[in-house]
Amino acid sequence: MSTSKRKHPKSKSKSQRDVSARQLAVEQRITQLGSQKKNESGKAKFPFCTKMLLLAFARFIDNPHVYNNQLHDLNYCQSLILGLQKRQRETCVKVMVAMCCDLEVETYQIGKPKLEYMDTITHNTIIKNYEACWGETICDKRYYHTIKLLKMADYLVIDAVYLQDRDLLANLDLKDEDLPRVYSKPAYKSLTQKFINIFGLDNNEHVMKSKSRSITNRIKKGFKTLWVRYEAFSDAYIWKKRQCPTVTRTDKTTQQPCDRYPQGRVIKPSIFGGNYTTEH
């Protein structure tokens, strides 16, 4: 009788590795949303480059140590000992898919490009995207907790819209919580380069072609990716364009650049590795 040797799991090919039904369902739905033919509306929710990014991130559901432990900043953002539960990791992926429905692939800003500027979107819009993508509801507590996890890992930047933003930052005596804000305007939201670099998709020829094609189509339509900021002027408000959110300010004591509210947090080296070799 012939006996066959069982291969070590690491020696198996990608198609032979065990994938849980939970991750497989998420990957199939991402593929469907990114396909023009398979999508119910006849139009893809996001381009090929975004689909590959989301499929790469979906591997986090089964294996939080994938990509040389570079996702440890998210997995251990709550505790250095206990990582996120599988259900939490799945929710992180699903919320990321909902945000990427309105992702601009050139600047990784989350919003809707228009002829004059890029309009921001509300959390309610992202929640509606979630329900449309996954056919299920998500409660506010679970959604905002997931957003907090992504912010703690420095994968997501959320920056409120401020009045006279850059001028007021020059006043070192003014605290972040004292800055006047425009609450009627949704906050700026964007993915960080740190998150994008984890998956190494810049080396993928097909991904880069898809990204270039998306940027070219946006330019042909005349859409802009510039955000706007507001200034008080003659009892009214005027808006001015800005390219990126202001996430740093000068420390009053050390005179050194530091993270500003609400994004800043001190990231200490993890005993599990993965977060001391990445950019923060």
Side-chain angles (χ1 to χ4, degrees):
M1 179 182 291
S2 61
T3 59
S4 59
K5 290 179 101 178
R6 296 183 61 187
K7 290 185 177 181
H8 190 274
K10 289 186 178 180
S11 302
K12 294 182 179 181
S13 64
K14 184 177 179 181
S15 60
Q16 292 175 319
R17 293 175 187 167
D18 294 331
V19 179
S20 68
R22 180 173 292 181
Q23 176 176 314
L24 184 60
V26 171
E27 290 178 347
Q28 290 176 345
R29 182 55 177 165
I30 292 174
T31 303
Q32 182 181 15
L33 292 173
S35 174
Q36 184 175 357
K37 296 180 180 179
K38 296 181 180 180
N39 200 19
E40 297 91 342
S41 62
K43 183 178 179 181
K45 290 285 187 180
F46 33 73
F48 175 79
C49 54
T50 303
K51 180 177 72 173
M52 295 303 296
L53 173 69
L54 294 173
L55 287 174
F57 185 41
R59 295 181 60 189
F60 178 63
I61 297 176
D62 279 357
N63 185 6
H65 312 295
V66 73
Y67 301 109
N68 296 324
N69 301 328
Q70 292 187 78
L71 289 168
H72 276 186
D73 286 353
L74 177 58
N75 191 48
Y76 296 105
C77 63
Q78 294 186 123
S79 170
L80 291 177
I81 300 177
L82 301 176
L84 298 180
Q85 298 177 0
K86 191 170 186 177
R87 181 175 178 271
Q88 291 177 301
R89 301 198 297 268
E90 179 186 6
T91 303
C92 287
V93 174
K94 287 185 174 182
V95 170
M96 183 64 71
V97 171
M99 287 191 293
C100 285
C101 290
D102 294 303
L103 179 69
E104 205 289 309
V105 298
E106 181 180 9
T107 59
Y108 302 112
Q109 297 171 179
I110 300 170
K112 297 185 181 296
K114 293 185 176 181
L115 294 177
E116 295 184 349
Y117 59 92
M118 186 166 186
D119 199 9
T120 54
I121 62 174
T122 63
H123 285 290
N124 287 336
T125 300
I126 299 176
I127 292 176
K128 290 180 181 178
N129 289 342
Y130 182 99
E131 295 174 351
C133 289
W134 302 108
E136 61 186 27
T137 60
I138 181 171
C139 65
D140 289 345
K141 182 178 180 180
R142 183 177 162 204
Y143 168 78
Y144 285 107
H145 178 69
T146 304
I147 293 295
K148 181 180 178 181
L149 296 179
L150 295 172
K151 288 174 59 179
M152 290 176 64
D154 289 333
Y155 293 166
L156 175 68
V157 171
I158 296 182
D159 187 28
V161 181
Y162 295 90
L163 292 175
Q164 297 174 311
D165 184 75
R166 299 192 184 279
D167 296 335
L168 286 172
L169 285 178
N171 184 358
L172 299 181
D173 295 327
L174 192 61
K175 298 180 180 179
D176 287 322
E177 55 268 22
D178 296 331
L179 291 175
R181 311 173 192 179
V182 182
Y183 288 100
S184 60
K185 190 72 177 176
Y188 308 107
K189 305 174 183 67
S190 62
L191 302 182
T192 63
Q193 195 64 44
K194 171 188 171 183
F195 175 73
I196 303 299
N197 291 341
I198 290 175
F199 311 104
L201 295 176
D202 289 342
N203 299 324
N204 188 306
E205 179 182 358
H206 300 290
V207 170
M208 297 310 295
K209 285 184 178 180
S210 173
K211 183 176 179 180
S212 299
R213 187 163 53 248
S214 297
I215 296 174
T216 302
N217 292 337
R218 177 187 60 77
I219 294 176
K220 285 182 178 180
K221 295 178 182 179
F223 291 158
K224 302 293 190 304
T225 60
L226 296 175
W227 269 323
V228 299
R229 62 188 180 95
Y230 290 78
E231 291 187 357
F233 180 77
S234 300
D235 299 327
Y237 296 121
I238 61 173
W239 56 267
K240 291 186 177 182
K241 299 175 182 178
R242 74 174 190 174
Q243 182 64 44
C244 297
T246 304
V247 295
T248 60
R249 67 176 305 175
T250 303
D251 186 85
K252 182 178 179 181
T253 305
T254 63
Q255 303 300 319
Q256 298 296 321
C258 63
D259 294 329
R260 84 180 259 199
Y261 176 88
Q263 196 65 30
R265 93 181 165 98
V266 178
I267 298 179
K268 299 180 180 179
S270 171
I271 60 176
F272 299 99
N275 73 339
Y276 50 83
T277 58
T278 55
E279 296 178 0
H280 296 282

